[in-house]
Amino acid sequence: MKSTEDKKDFHDGLMDDEAQMEMRQLITEALLIGKGRKDNAEKEWDRFALKSGIRKQRFDMKYLLRIAACIAVLLISLAGMWLFQAQQDKKLVVYAAKAESDKIVITSGNTSIVVKKDSIEINQGNKPVEWQTITVPPTKDFHLHLPDGSKVWLNANAVMSYPTRFGNIREVKLEGEAYFDVVSDPSHPFVVTTGDIATRVVGTEFNVKYVKSDVPCITLVSGRVDINDLAGNKLAELYPNESAEVNSGVVSKQEVYVEDKICWREGIEMFENDTLEDILIRIGSWYNMSVVCHDIPELNCRYHFIYDRRSDVQDAVKMLSEISKLKINIEKNTIFVD
């Protein structure tokens, strides 16, 4: 026989169990009501209570609905807080550092060589003419002397193909940005092919910028150039201090301050109304540093910004942080934007 005290302990334990089950009942019914399953809530609880051998506690339905509404509001609030926190914690990799980022490569047929200098000179020989392609990494620029003595400065990420010996037409093919100082030779025009246009000159200095996702842009420093399509049809003439963009055969010209267009040769990186995201990508690629930030609307804000890429990355990051009013710092090999 159990003592009175033992029965009391057992009864108290049972009451505790019942209290817990009543709470579970509330939550179960509230959740089912919240999901539009009010009719099934009672049946679900009856089945569970019968299986557990515990007396079902009855509640006034209005009281129950009030409790359910409170729980639903609480759950919605918690879900909102979780989503807000998740959005705050969401990080974007704006730019990822490259494993191989500092090699200048010249390819000829199936042969590739790594150039360890910052400039080379192509000597015109008696060997059969073959085309070579030079690829400049995102962390460097490069200076090249062509077989006719013309000089080319290749910006970071530029790819240019050229023959080892020129014929009647001195032609090169460019993707990226380059500055040309062409030796005058009226009987052998110099042609730079970019996308679906050809910039034709005799002797002059000019800058060409062509990225596949954008339209070609030609800026003339001295002399004169003709802008043609690939069939040789003239689209426009360009004179000093003029810049032209060519979009689907339509040429848009404007007068420019050419030093702003060619200052990259001296290591000056200039941005004119560029988005913060574009600026961060260019800084990350030049210094080969990953750029990570929150998914923030400020990435689409546009800035006029200039920095010397020959200087330490800390200088560029400090200036960008000041003008953007954002916290930008460097940890190890990563630029973080908060």
Side-chain angles (χ1 to χ4, degrees):
M1 296 289 293
K2 292 184 179 290
S3 65
T4 304
E5 206 169 20
D6 289 338
K7 289 181 179 180
K8 184 178 182 302
D9 290 341
F10 175 79
H11 178 71
D12 288 343
L14 182 61
M15 291 300 291
D16 289 343
D17 287 341
E18 286 189 345
Q20 291 177 16
M21 294 308 299
E22 289 166 8
M23 180 57 71
R24 291 173 187 167
Q25 175 190 0
L26 278 175
I27 295 173
T28 300
E29 293 183 345
L31 290 174
L32 289 170
I33 291 169
K35 292 183 177 180
R37 294 168 59 192
K38 181 172 67 175
D39 294 338
N40 294 330
E42 290 285 316
K43 294 179 182 179
E44 289 290 332
W45 176 249
D46 284 337
R47 184 183 61 79
F48 181 81
L50 181 62
K51 183 178 180 181
S52 304
I54 299 176
R55 178 179 56 84
K56 179 186 171 189
Q57 177 69 41
R58 293 291 179 180
F59 289 89
D60 177 76
M61 198 52 160
K62 291 182 180 179
Y63 177 67
L64 178 61
L65 288 174
R66 284 198 297 271
I67 294 175
C70 291
I71 294 175
V73 170
L74 177 61
L75 290 174
I76 292 171
S77 299
L78 290 173
M81 291 174 63
W82 180 83
L83 286 173
F84 177 77
Q85 187 63 39
Q87 290 176 345
Q88 291 299 304
D89 292 340
K90 184 179 179 181
K91 296 290 182 65
L92 290 179
V93 179
V94 175
Y95 182 82
K98 305 290 190 299
E100 296 286 339
S101 65
D102 59 350
K103 293 182 178 179
I104 298 170
V105 179
I106 295 180
T107 304
S108 179
N110 296 322
T111 305
S112 295
I113 61 171
V114 176
V115 181
K116 297 183 178 180
K117 303 176 182 179
D118 58 4
S119 66
I120 60 170
E121 184 172 344
I122 307 300
N123 294 316
Q124 196 163 259
N126 295 321
K127 294 181 180 180
V129 176
E130 61 179 2
W131 279 78
Q132 296 181 336
T133 299
I134 183 166
T135 303
V136 183
T139 57
K140 293 184 178 180
D141 48 34
F142 193 71
H143 188 199
L144 181 70
H145 289 247
L146 293 173
D148 67 334
S150 297
K151 301 175 184 177
V152 185
W153 286 260
L154 295 169
N155 203 354
N157 284 312
V159 179
M160 191 180 78
S161 298
Y162 55 90
T164 52
R165 187 170 69 251
F166 286 127
N168 293 330
I169 296 179
R170 299 173 288 169
E171 182 184 13
V172 299
K173 300 174 182 179
L174 174 71
E175 181 181 330
E177 185 169 22
Y179 182 91
F180 294 87
D181 182 356
V182 177
V183 172
S184 179
D185 185 352
S187 60
H188 299 88
F190 192 97
V191 177
V192 180
T193 301
T194 49
D196 58 359
I197 69 165
T199 304
R200 185 183 181 96
V201 304
V202 172
T204 185
E205 294 187 39
F206 60 103
N207 193 83
V208 179
K209 185 176 182 180
Y210 169 64
V211 182
K212 285 185 177 180
S213 60
D214 207 344
V215 297
C217 179
I218 301 96
T219 303
L220 186 59
V221 177
S222 64
R224 195 200 81 184
V225 303
D226 293 338
I227 301 175
N228 302 339
D229 60 21
L230 296 182
N233 301 309
K234 183 186 292 187
L235 302 177
E237 293 180 350
L238 208 57
Y239 296 93
N241 301 315
E242 287 186 337
S243 185
E245 292 185 348
V246 185
N247 189 0
S248 300
V250 178
V251 180
S252 301
K253 295 199 303 183
Q254 61 176 336
E255 290 190 5
V256 296
Y257 181 61
V258 293
E259 290 302 322
D260 288 350
K261 298 291 186 179
I262 65 174
C263 60
W264 61 266
R265 292 191 310 156
E266 308 301 326
I268 303 301
E269 191 81 79
M270 179 174 288
F271 300 91
E272 299 176 289
N273 198 34
D274 290 278
T275 65
L276 177 61
E277 184 174 8
D278 289 338
I279 295 172
L280 288 168
I281 289 172
R282 294 263 287 278
I283 292 176
S285 64
W286 177 260
Y287 293 101
N288 194 31
M289 302 182 72
S290 296
V291 181
V292 178
C293 69
H294 293 295
D295 187 5
I296 53 177
E298 285 83 357
L299 285 176
N300 296 316
C301 292
R302 294 183 176 274
Y303 299 95
H304 292 277
F305 181 63
I306 182 173
Y307 76 96
D308 185 353
R309 62 189 187 185
R310 302 281 192 259
S311 300
D312 191 270
V313 64
Q314 290 282 2
D315 296 336
V317 167
K318 181 180 179 181
M319 288 189 293
L320 186 58
S321 181
E322 289 174 354
I323 69 166
S324 65
K325 308 301 181 184
L326 295 171
K327 183 181 177 182
I328 307 176
N329 54 65
I330 299 173
E331 295 179 18
K332 296 183 179 179
N333 196 48
T334 302
I335 298 171
F336 290 96
V337 184
D338 294 315

